[in-house]
C-alpha cells in the first residue's frame, strides 16, 4: 500500500536587525557577501514568521507556498536552491537507512504567516527563509546544526542565515568559492545580554525605491568608496562589535551600530545613480537619538537603518523610561505602544520641530528586544489532511 | 603737508560652484585642502559681489568692512591674514620705490554688496573674499597675477581662490607645508565653452545645520570612507573633469559632476555624528534630473549640491528648452525665471509627486551660466571723501 500520509512540522523564526551591515554580494548566485555582518535577533513575541512544512505523496500539484493567505511563487532560483539543498540532505539520510520514508521524493506544501504587517517594510525575507529552511529541516528530521542550516537559508536570502540563531549572531563571509564557509555563528545567546531592547519607528512612506538585491549590486559596481568599506571599515567594526557584545559594553555597541548604519547609507548615497533609503523623517529620528544621548550625558540609545526609512533604536532595559518616554511624547498617538508606556515620564524633551517631523512621518512603533532563534511548535498551519488551516 | 587723500579701487567678483568638491583641510590655519578641486565660475550678471576698497591716513577707526549695509567684523584670523599678506606685498613695492604713497600704513575701509539675497544660502564667502582681495590688490596696484592673488584669497575662504578666475578653474592642493603651491589655475576660459548654463533651485529651508568649516573637519576626523575619497576618488575625478572641460564633453562633465556630488555627500553622511546637507527636496531634484536624462536618451543635465540643500543643475545652451521647460512646469510660480521662460515648452513631464515635492521645497530659482572672473569697475561704494555711498 502506498504511503499517502501527510508529514508535518512547524517552526517559528525571528527577524534580525544588523548592527554591522550586509551590503554587497561577491557571488550573487550563491548569495556570498563582500563582507561579514553581525545582527541582533529580535523577540518572536513581537515579530516572527510561523511556517508549517508538510509533504505527502498525495500532493498532486508540486511544491507550493502560501504566505499570509496568498499563493507565493516557488519557482525562483533562491527558493529552488533551498528545496534542492534540503532534499539532497534528506535523500542522503534515506540512502543510508532504507527504513526511512522517502520524503525527499514527495512534493512539499508550505504555509507561512507573519505576525506583523508586511506593509511595515520590515525585512521579512530573513524570518521567512529561516522559517522555511528550519521547517523543512524539522520535517525531514535532518541532524544539521543551525550553522549548517544557515548555509541553506543564506541561499534563500542572505540575511536569513542570521535568523537561525537567537541573540547576537555573526555571518562570517568566508572565502571559499563554493560558499561552504559563508555561514552564521553564535556570538552570544540572548541570555548573555538579555537587557537589549529595540524600538522600531515605522515610517509612513515605507515603499522601497530600489530593492536590496539590485541596490547592493549597483553599489558594488559603481561606488568609489565601497572598497574602503569592505576592506577596512567593516573588518574593524566586526572586531569592535564582537568585543562590545562579549563585554556587554553598550557605549561601544551603540557607537559601532551608528557608525555602521552611517557607513552603509553613505555607500548607498555614493552609488551611481545614488540610492537613498533614508528620508527627512529618518534624519529626524537620528537627531532625536543624538539629543537623548546628549541630555543623558552618555550613550544610551543607538539608531540603525536597513534598506528603508524605518529607524530601529537599540537601548538597554535600564534606559527604557528615557527612551520610551521621550519618543512617546512625540508619537503617543500612533499604534504599537505596549500597555503602561503612556505612564512613563521622561525628563528629555524633543525640540518641537523634531517632534513634529517624527509625528508627520512615523505611522506606528514596535516595542521589542533581543530574543531566541527558531522554535519548534505544535501549532500547525496545515491540518492532518494536508489542507491549509482556516484562520 | 600730510597726504590725506582717499585712495579707492572697485571690483566685482563671481560665485563659483565646484564640480569636483573641496571638502577637508590638511591645515586649517592656512586653509590647505586635503584634495584638489575644480569649479565653474558663474556669470556676474546674476551673482556677484561688488567691493570698493579704499585707504586714507584720514581714516581714524582702523580697518573696517561694511557688507550689505552692515558693519562686519574684520578681526577674524582669516580676514586679518588677507590684510597682512596684501599689505606686505604693497610694502615691498613701497620699499623698492620711495615715490609711491605709503598705502600699506593706512587703515583700509571696505564696502561690499551682493546682488543676490544672502538668505539664499549660496556660498557668498567665495565671491566675498575674492572681491576683497582683488579690490585691495587694485588699490595697492599690486603686479600679482590672479593665481598669485588666489594664494591670498584661499586664506580668507578656501573656495574663494577659485573665484579669481572666470571659466573653468582648478584649485591645485599643492604639497608644501607653507601652502605656497596651493592655488588656483585656469583650466579653460569661459570663452572656451561658453554654452554652459546653470539653473539653481534655491531650497526654502536653506539654513545650514553645520558650517562647512566645522563639518569638513569632523569628516576628516571621523569618516572611515574619507581617505578613499581623497586618495583615489578625487584624483581620478580631477583628471576626468579636466579632460571633459578641454574636450567640451558634456556627458563626461555631467557624470563626474554628479558622482562627485554624491561622493562628497556620502562622506558627510559617513561623518560621526552624520552631517546631512541634502533633504527630501534635494533628492526630488536629483530624481528630476535623472528623469530628464532618461527621457532625453542622453545626459543633458547634471546636479550638484554644496554644503546645503540647493540644487545646481548644469546643462548646455542647446538643452535649455528641455531643462527650463521641465522645471518651469513644476516651479513656474516661484521667482527668478527670466523673461521668456514661461513660453518654453518641454516634452518631458515630471511625475506629479516629484513636481509637488519640488513645488513645496523650492522657494526661488536663479538662471545663470559660466562667466568671467573679477572685473575692475568705476562703480564705487565709497565716495571721494571716504564715505559709504547711500544706495
Amino acid at each position: 500500500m502506498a504511503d499517502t500520509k501527510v508529514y508535518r512540522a512547524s517552526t517559528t523564526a525571528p527577524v534580525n536587525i544588523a548592527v554591522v551591515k550586509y551590503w554587497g554580494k561577491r557571488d550573487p548566485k550563491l548569495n556570498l557577501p563582500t563582507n561579514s555582518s553581525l545582527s541582533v535577533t529580535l523577540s518572536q513575541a513581537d515579530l516572527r514568521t510561523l511556517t508549517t512544512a508538510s509533504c505527502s505523496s498525495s500532493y498532486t500539484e508540486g511544491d507550493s507556498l502560501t504566505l499570509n493567505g496568498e499563493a507565493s511563487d516557488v519557482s525562483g532560483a533562491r527558493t529552488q536552491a533551498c528545496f534542492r539543498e534540503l532534499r539532497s540532505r534528506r535523500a542522503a539520510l534515506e540512502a543510508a537507512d532504507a527504513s526511512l520514508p522517502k520524503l525527499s521524493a514527495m512534493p512539499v506544501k508550505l504555509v507561512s504567516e507573519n505576525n506583523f504587517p508586511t506593509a511595515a517594510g520590515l525585512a521579512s525575507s530573513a524570518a521567512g527563509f529561516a522559517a522555511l529552511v528550519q521547517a523543512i529541516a524539522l520535517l525531514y528530521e535532518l541532524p544539521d546544526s543551525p550553522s549548517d542550516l544557515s548555509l541553506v537559508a543564506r541561499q534563500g536570502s542572505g540575511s536569513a542565515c542570521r535568523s537561525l540563531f537567537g541573540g547576537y549572531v555573526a555571518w562570517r563571509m568566508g572565502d571559499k568559492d563554493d560558499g561552504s564557509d559563508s555561514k552564521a555563528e553564535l556570538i552570544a545567546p540572548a541570555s548573555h545580554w538579555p537587557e537589549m531592547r529595540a524600538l522600531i519607528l515605522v515610517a509612513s512612506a515605507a515603499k522601497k525605491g530600489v530593492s536590496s538585491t539590485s541596490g547592493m549590486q549597483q553599489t558594488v559596481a559603481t561606488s568609489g568608496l565601497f572598497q574602503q568599506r569592505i576592506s577596512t571599515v567593516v573588518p574593524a567594526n566586526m572586531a569592535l562589535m564582537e568585543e562590545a557584545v562579549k563585554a556587554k559594553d553598550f557605549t561601544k555597541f551603540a557607537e559601532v551600530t551608528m557608525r555602521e548604519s552611517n557607513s552603509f547609507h553613505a555607500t548607498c548615497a555614493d552609488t551611481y545613480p545614488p540610492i537613498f533609503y533614508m528620508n527627512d523623517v529618518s534624519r529626524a529620528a537620528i537627531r532625536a537619538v543624538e539629543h537623548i544621548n546628549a541630555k543623558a550625558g552618555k550613550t544610551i540609545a543607538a539608531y540603525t537603518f536597513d534598506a528603508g526609512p524605518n529607524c530601529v533604536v537599540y537601548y538597554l532595559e535600564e534606559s527604557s523610561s528615557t527612551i520610551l518616554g521621550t519618543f512617546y511624547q512625540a508619537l503617543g498617538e500612533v499604534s504599537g505602544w505596549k500597555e503602561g508606556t503612556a505612564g512613563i515620564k521622561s525628563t528629555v524633551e524633543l525640540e518641537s520641530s523634531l517632534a513634529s517631523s517624527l509625528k508627520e512621518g512615523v505611522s506606528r512603533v514596535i516595542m521589542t528586544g533581543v530574543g531566541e532563534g527558531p522554535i519548534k511548535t505544535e501549532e500547525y498551519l496545515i491540518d492532518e489532511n494536508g489542507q491549509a488551516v482556516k484562520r
Side-chain angles (χ1 to χ4, degrees), chain A:
Chain A
M1 198 180 97
D3 173 14
T4 57
K5 183 180 165 192
V6 170
Y7 297 87
R8 301 183 301 169
S10 265
T11 189
T12 60
V15 164
N16 72 76
I17 299 286
V19 288
V20 176
K21 300 294 188 187
Y22 160 47
W23 194 254
K25 301 178 200 279
R26 67 179 196 276
D27 182 329
K29 198 165 158 246
L30 291 172
N31 265 352
L32 300 180
T34 51
N35 56 265
S36 296
S37 54
L38 201 150
S39 57
V40 180
T41 295
L42 299 184
S43 170
Q44 296 177 65
D46 307 302
L47 299 165
R48 60 116 185 91
T49 299
L50 166 62
T51 297
T52 299
S54 74
C55 61
S56 171
S57 60
S58 69
Y59 292 167
T60 53
E61 293 173 10
D63 300 331
S64 71
L65 166 63
T66 303
L67 175 58
N68 294 326
E70 297 195 4
S72 186
D73 181 26
V74 293
S75 68
R78 291 166 166 215
T79 310
Q80 287 296 314
C82 293
F83 286 172
R84 193 168 53 242
E85 282 277 346
L86 294 162
R87 280 207 166 93
S88 113
R89 290 170 194 223
R90 171 68 189 182
L93 295 184
E94 292 165 0
D97 179 352
S99 74
L100 292 176
K102 301 288 180 291
L103 305 189
S104 67
M106 299 174 185
V108 167
K109 182 183 287 189
L110 293 150
V111 178
S112 197
E113 277 185 10
N114 297 329
N115 69 345
F116 55 93
T118 47
L122 293 160
S124 52
S125 64
F129 272 104
L132 179 148
V133 168
Q134 183 71 55
I136 298 176
L138 290 171
L139 176 72
Y140 287 171
E141 297 182 332
L142 301 182
D144 300 67
S145 70
S147 213
D148 289 338
L149 292 178
S150 80
L151 284 167
V152 183
R154 188 204 76 223
Q155 294 175 63
S157 168
S159 57
C161 75
R162 296 186 310 241
S163 278
L164 268 304
F165 290 97
Y168 304 84
V169 187
W171 173 11
R172 305 294 182 194
M173 63 178 288
D175 55 22
K176 293 189 184 161
D177 283 346
D178 68 357
S180 58
D181 57 350
S182 185
K183 56 187 175 182
E185 176 187 310
L186 187 67
I187 298 297
S191 60
H192 165 72
W193 202 6
E195 298 86 359
M196 186 66 71
R197 297 286 176 275
L199 174 67
I200 307 177
L201 310 178
V202 181
S204 316
K207 202 191 68 168
K208 275 191 201 181
V210 179
S211 82
S212 306
T213 297
S214 88
M216 63 176 76
Q217 288 315 90
Q218 291 167 39
T219 301
V220 172
T222 66
S223 165
L225 304 174
F226 184 69
Q227 276 305 316
Q228 175 96 354
R229 169 163 168 77
I230 64 173
S231 67
T232 308
V233 174
V234 173
N237 284 343
M238 279 297 290
L240 288 168
M241 186 55 85
E242 286 188 53
E243 290 167 18
V245 168
K246 283 173 182 161
K248 301 197 273 186
D249 179 342
F250 187 80
T251 304
K252 187 188 271 191
F253 171 92
E255 180 170 336
V256 177
T257 295
M258 294 187 279
R259 284 176 176 268
E260 257 298 311
S261 179
N262 297 342
S263 168
F264 152 47
H265 289 279
T267 63
C268 290
D270 186 49
T271 301
Y272 186 75
I275 301 171
F276 302 111
Y277 288 118
M278 291 163 58
N279 58 24
D280 285 352
V281 181
S282 314
R283 276 179 292 282
I286 289 181
R287 297 304 173 220
V289 167
E290 290 172 349
H291 181 73
I292 288 169
N293 289 335
K295 286 286 171 186
K298 61 179 181 170
T299 306
I300 61 171
Y303 56 78
T304 188
F305 298 81
D306 279 349
N310 297 339
C311 183
V312 177
V313 181
Y314 281 117
Y315 61 98
L316 293 180
E317 214 286 321
E318 64 188 24
S319 308
S320 288
S321 62
T322 308
I323 307 301
L324 297 176
T326 306
F327 280 105
Y328 189 85
Q329 281 170 30
L331 297 171
E333 286 163 28
V334 306
S335 64
W337 297 104
K338 290 187 178 174
E339 224 179 296
T341 314
I344 296 174
K345 297 282 171 254
S346 167
T347 53
V348 179
E349 212 165 311
L350 298 177
E351 250 182 68
S352 65
S353 66
L354 210 50
S356 63
S357 288
L358 291 173
K359 206 174 295 190
E360 269 172 46
V362 174
S363 60
R364 56 172 295 182
V365 301
I366 296 168
M367 290 171 60
T368 186
V370 65
E372 306 300 329
I375 300 166
K376 188 177 192 296
T377 172
E378 299 301 316
E379 186 181 355
Y380 293 102
L381 297 174
I382 298 173
D383 68 20
E384 290 170 346
N385 301 317
Q387 300 300 310
V389 173
K390 300 267 176 253
R391 289 156 69 95

